[in-house]
Amino acid sequence: MQKRLIVNHQLLDIMVMRLCHQLIENHGDFSDSVIIGLQPRGRQVAQRLQANLETILGMRVPTGYLDTTFHRDDFRRRDTPLTANATHIDFLIEDKKVILADDVLYTGRSVRAALDAMIAFGRPANVELLVLIDRLHSRHLPIEPTYVGRRVNSIQSQRVLVEWQGQDTQEDNIWLITKNEE
């Protein structure tokens, strides 16, 4: 297995701050906007965005996280059952501008599931997608992000790993992992 660093902790901080400023440019004070992180990995992205936005704006930014397990198109196709994550959305999204946040956009299937799951909380006025990494040339569905930290060319045998400080690692990093063919 080969592991190549594609975004170090300093660059990741800059990326997140840039994304926050883009969000402020388009959403102002967030009075009509909310952030929803896709479980499990988008939760950390949403929390990091929320912390930075609240520091910049000096006000609360409504943020939640959404489990899409039972809305996935591969839910019943697996040998082992999927384990559901928690959903925590303590606000209505009716007529709100929703920013779905995730770490990596690959096939688009998780985002499709999130769109289905999100409807239980109301009908949003608008939905945008924010991802740290957009894996190019890998989409199965016509889904494209509105906000992107970095675009990465990768092949199917590779995967992108986003590590957050405190989760068995000393600092935030994003890796491109290639499995050795045997």
Side-chain angles (χ1 to χ4, degrees), residues 59-81:
M59 59 186 304
R60 185 180 171 277
V61 175
T63 304
Y65 42 92
L66 179 66
D67 178 60
T68 63
T69 303
F70 301 114
H71 297 273
R72 292 174 52 114
D73 58 5
D74 64 349
F75 175 64
R76 299 197 190 287
R77 294 177 177 219
R78 295 182 174 234
D79 294 334
T80 57

Side-chain angles (χ1 to χ4, degrees), residues 10 33 56 58 83 93-94 96 116 133 156-157:
Q10 294 165 323
S33 302
I56 295 166
T83 304
I93 64 169
E94 190 73 30
K96 296 284 186 185
D116 285 349
I133 301 294
Q156 191 171 2
S157 63

